[in-house]
Amino acid sequence: MEGKKLLIVTQHFWPEAFRVNDLAAGFIERGWQVDVLCGLPNYPKGEWFSGYRYTGPRREEHDGVNIIRAGEIRRKGNTGARIFLNYVSWPVCAVFNLWRLKGPYTAVLCYNTSPVLMNLPAIVYAKLHKVPLTSYVLDIWPENLYSVLPVKNRFLRGVAHWVSDWHYRRCDQLIAMSESLRRRLCQRTSKPESAVAVIPQHCEDFYAVPIHDETLAARFAGRFNLVFTGNFSPAQSLETVIKAAVKARAAGAQALRLVLVGDGMSADSLKALAKELDAGDTVEFLPSVRPEQIPAYTALADGLVASLSASPDLGMTVPAKIASYMAAAKPLLASMDGEGAAAVAEAGCGFVSAAEDVDALAANMAALCAASPGERAEMGRRAFAYYETHYRRRAVLDRLEEFISAR
């Protein structure tokens, strides 16, 4: 791949903690030159990261990646209005920063988390310079929008659907994380199956290397720790997890403790729920940590919890944390429908319950508590084996590199 140059377009990049950071590093390791057009770091709290403000810095270099930053309205407060302004402002600003890019590029890759509008600067650049564009669809729109902003107006929903399809159709190729998502994208865009690949989201290698933290180990010793790590958003349905943990404790799983590590727009409401349920002895909230620190928390876990809201659209994707949990070689509790639940069931590495089913999740929590150490260790071994074949970075990069280079 010597001499090839890749433009990655994505609103979120280092020092924000997104897996595109690791993908960019992987392409560098394989001999590509990589430029990234991105925004100014303020996710998830909506405050500028230390050293950043609206005015910049607008150009940086990190681990061999050339970073070009466009402005955006930060998500301050994470209200619906601020999130909407953040969604709209960055792609518009990015279009007006395309002149700063130093091509020519072999390919353009849009790492498309929310919003779908993130594709816009990639589309404009690719069309102007006749460069093939591939969009890695991590969040399907407008369905993912409705899990964050409860849009009920039929006209507005129709506009959101039209805008989403317009963006997807104008990409030369699309990448879906699952077969069901691939079918949906083919149906909506009329693209042939050859133009829509199924490539699961990879997991960084460091998730497979446990970190022993003596302070944490002492703090959580003598308990059966169920751990959740990541973003606290409505799509995660963490209310279900908290209620299930309380119910499992009441049913006799006295050693069970639920540890929620993270932050996000639902943090305040979740803490209020825990207080309302008098769950102070059952649920513990810990602040968000850098991804590289997460193995210190998964290492002390007896089980790892992943959950999603009840939505057929969310069920088309495998949550990123499923991969990182499997890499940690620990049993999983999956409270979700669709592809994520299917992956855990196929791996045979834990227990699965339907999304938002508090009783079923509570029963699974109790069952995992009751399992022998040997049974839990076997679940962990199965989880790691599934990670090796499906989510390891090397395997995903092989497929991704081949696909974007095919045109």
Side-chain angles (χ1 to χ4, degrees):
M1 297 302 170
E2 187 176 353
K4 291 199 171 185
K5 190 171 183 179
L6 176 66
L7 171 63
I8 297 178
V9 177
T10 182
Q11 186 169 347
H12 304 291
F13 195 70
W14 174 89
E16 292 175 326
F18 282 77
R19 286 186 164 151
V20 64
N21 305 342
D22 197 49
L23 281 183
F27 277 104
I28 291 286
E29 292 167 8
R30 291 170 177 236
W32 288 70
Q33 297 179 62
V34 178
D35 288 356
V36 173
L37 175 64
C38 60
L40 293 162
N42 69 103
Y43 181 92
K45 292 186 177 181
E47 300 293 343
W48 300 128
F49 280 37
S50 178
Y52 294 89
R53 56 181 60 86
Y54 180 78
T55 53
R58 293 301 182 94
R59 187 177 289 275
E60 295 180 282
E61 190 274 336
H62 177 70
D63 288 345
V65 178
N66 183 37
I67 304 171
I68 303 95
R69 299 192 185 275
E72 63 183 86
I73 297 173
R74 57 182 168 163
R75 301 165 61 104
K76 186 174 183 178
N78 280 313
T79 63
R82 293 292 299 206
I83 291 174
F84 174 78
L85 290 173
N86 179 261
Y87 279 174
V88 172
S89 62
W90 182 79
V92 173
C93 291
V95 167
F96 286 98
N97 279 267
L98 294 177
W99 63 272
R100 300 171 57 206
L101 301 174
K102 307 297 183 184
Y105 297 102
T106 307
V108 179
L109 173 67
C110 180
Y111 190 82
N112 188 200
T113 56
S114 289
V116 70
L117 302 174
M118 206 179 291
N119 282 295
L120 181 62
I123 292 168
V124 173
Y125 186 90
K127 299 304 181 187
L128 285 176
H129 296 274
K130 296 181 173 56
V131 184
L133 166 61
T134 302
S135 181
Y136 203 151
V137 182
L138 283 306
D139 293 335
I140 180 72
W141 266 57
E143 293 88 343
N144 192 265
L145 169 67
Y146 305 147
S147 71
V148 179
L149 300 177
V151 180
K152 302 298 183 182
N153 183 279
R154 291 182 64 183
F155 174 76
L156 292 178
R157 289 173 74 99
V159 170
H161 202 285
W162 180 88
V163 168
S164 300
D165 286 355
W166 184 93
H167 283 81
Y168 292 140
R169 288 192 184 108
R170 276 151 185 80
C171 300
D172 298 296
Q173 300 183 135
L174 300 171
I175 297 174
M177 289 194 296
S178 68
E179 185 58 44
S180 59
L181 181 55
R182 178 190 189 180
R183 291 193 296 269
R184 173 70 66 86
L185 288 170
C186 286
Q187 178 186 29
R188 285 174 50 175
T189 64
S190 299
K191 290 185 180 296
E193 289 189 358
S194 60
V196 185
V198 177
I199 304 176
Q201 190 173 189
H202 84 290
C203 173
E204 297 93 332
D205 293 343
F206 62 74
Y207 282 106
V209 183
I211 297 174
H212 179 69
D213 186 308
E214 291 186 4
T215 302
L216 283 176
R219 179 177 176 180
F220 292 100
R223 313 186 332 184
F224 190 91
N225 298 300
L226 296 179
V227 176
F228 171 94
T229 63
N231 186 33
F232 297 174
S233 78
Q236 307 301 321
S237 190
L238 288 172
E239 296 86 354
T240 299
V241 180
I242 291 172
K243 292 175 182 177
V246 171
K247 185 177 283 286
R249 279 287 299 273
Q254 288 298 313
L256 186 152
R257 298 295 186 277
L258 174 64
V259 183
L260 301 175
V261 184
D263 204 345
M265 64 187 298
S266 298
D268 290 342
S269 63
L270 293 173
K271 291 174 183 177
L273 174 64
K275 184 176 181 180
E276 176 188 333
L277 296 175
D278 194 22
D281 192 43
T282 302
V283 183
E284 184 166 355
F285 292 87
L286 296 181
S288 181
V289 298
R290 294 288 301 175
E292 294 83 358
Q293 297 173 283
I294 287 177
Y297 295 87
T298 55
L300 62 84
D302 297 290
L304 298 167
V305 185
S307 58
L308 286 177
S309 299
S311 164
D313 301 311
L314 287 176
M316 289 189 295
T317 62
V318 178
K321 62 173 47 63
I322 292 290
S324 56
Y325 284 179
M326 287 185 175
K330 292 295 178 75
L332 272 69
L333 291 173
S335 171
M336 61 186 65
D337 303 322
E339 298 284 352
V344 174
E346 182 180 345
C349 63
F351 296 92
V352 175
S353 57
E356 300 185 19
D357 189 333
V358 173
D359 291 341
L361 178 57
N364 285 345
M365 288 178 173
L368 186 59
C369 285
S372 69
E375 289 171 328
R376 294 197 297 271
E378 178 59 27
M379 293 179 201
R381 284 190 288 270
R382 292 173 183 170
F384 189 80
Y386 199 86
Y387 149 76
E388 287 265 79
T389 57
H390 290 76
Y391 304 125
R392 198 174 187 95
R393 186 182 73 156
R394 179 180 61 249
V396 172
L397 269 171
D398 285 344
R399 297 169 65 185
L400 181 58
E401 188 176 33
E402 180 182 4
F403 188 61
I404 69 172
S405 302
R407 295 186 65 87

